[in-house]
Amino acid sequence: MDNFEPSLEGSDWSSGLPVPALAFRDGEVVAANDAAERLFDRPRAALIGSGFADALLDDQDASHLGDALDRALRLGEAQLVVRIGTRPPARFFDLQLVRSADGVVTAWPHEITDQARLDALAAVFVLGVLTVAADRRIVWVAPSTAAGLGVEAEFLIGRDVVSLAHPEDRPALEHLIEDLR
């Protein structure tokens, strides 16, 4: 995809692509493919022009999109995460922006799942991010937590969280868990 250069002659510039794509020129969408229509659940006409930013993004994300488009024009590529929808269930999209030789910036949007957002957030923490069920069994471990402990996440999943604590710390951890119930 790095060498993709859209030809905007005609409306089918990317109809053969299996992934969503939007082409931007001067900050506005000038082309969108069928996969983008399906991903954003909007007809192509609603995405063209300023419709993408106006209809789908809040003011802050629209401003960030403008900044990312400027970066892509200057540097050749940029990345941005935007939220569509202001109330739950909001949807989040990672936009990979790539400039072509003719100055068109193509955005390759990819929807980010709740699990991927949680993993990305937890990745910034060095240790200690995990999810524990009511029965004290670990049900999810941040990749950085497992790596910081020097084990695979699968090693921790299903274990009693209290059993992993130092014996002197177990009573305090049990008390904390009871307080959280």
Side-chain angles (χ1 to χ4, degrees), residues 99-178:
R99 181 195 68 218
S100 64
D102 62 358
V104 171
V105 175
T106 301
W108 307 99
H110 172 75
E111 188 162 11
I112 303 170
T113 64
D114 289 340
Q115 185 64 50
R117 287 195 347 254
L118 179 60
D119 288 345
L121 176 63
V124 301
F125 296 102
V126 177
L127 288 176
V129 180
L130 48 88
T131 303
V132 179
D135 66 356
R136 302 182 348 183
R137 302 277 172 217
I138 298 171
V139 295
W140 178 83
V141 180
S144 58
T145 300
L149 294 171
V151 298
E152 295 292 322
E154 292 76 24
F155 174 80
L156 299 170
I157 303 295
R159 292 186 179 264
D160 182 328
V161 69
V162 174
S163 72
L164 298 173
H166 186 278
E168 293 177 5
D169 295 329
R170 288 178 185 166
L173 181 56
E174 287 175 334
H175 182 69
L176 175 65
I177 291 170
E178 285 304 316

Side-chain angles (χ1 to χ4, degrees), residues 1-179:
M1 278 195 268
D2 291 339
N3 296 327
F4 175 74
E5 300 215 7
S7 167
L8 299 178
E9 302 301 320
S11 62
D12 62 347
W13 67 274
S14 63
S15 61
L17 292 175
V19 296
L22 301 168
F24 288 85
R25 182 174 286 158
D26 299 324
E28 294 192 346
V29 176
V30 293
N33 69 353
D34 296 339
E37 287 183 305
R38 288 189 301 276
L39 180 67
F40 294 113
D41 195 28
R42 296 278 194 285
R44 191 173 315 210
L47 298 172
I48 302 296
S50 62
F52 177 75
D54 291 348
L56 298 176
L57 303 179
D58 66 17
D59 290 342
Q60 182 178 7
D61 279 343
S63 174
H64 291 303
L65 174 61
D67 294 343
L69 289 168
D70 289 343
R71 276 193 315 277
L73 285 171
R74 281 192 330 271
L75 304 174
E77 60 184 51
Q79 183 175 3
L80 174 70
V81 173
V82 296
R83 179 185 69 209
I84 294 182
T86 55
R87 293 190 214 166
R91 295 169 66 197
F92 291 81
F93 295 87
D94 177 24
L95 301 178
Q96 298 291 324
L97 305 170
V98 180
R99 181 195 68 218
S100 64
D102 62 358
V104 171
V105 175
T106 301
W108 307 99
H110 172 75
E111 188 162 11
I112 303 170
T113 64
D114 289 340
Q115 185 64 50
R117 287 195 347 254
L118 179 60
D119 288 345
L121 176 63
V124 301
F125 296 102
V126 177
L127 288 176
V129 180
L130 48 88
T131 303
V132 179
D135 66 356
R136 302 182 348 183
R137 302 277 172 217
I138 298 171
V139 295
W140 178 83
V141 180
S144 58
T145 300
L149 294 171
V151 298
E152 295 292 322
E154 292 76 24
F155 174 80
L156 299 170
I157 303 295
R159 292 186 179 264
D160 182 328
V161 69
V162 174
S163 72
L164 298 173
H166 186 278
E168 293 177 5
D169 295 329
R170 288 178 185 166
L173 181 56
E174 287 175 334
H175 182 69
L176 175 65
I177 291 170
E178 285 304 316
D179 286 348

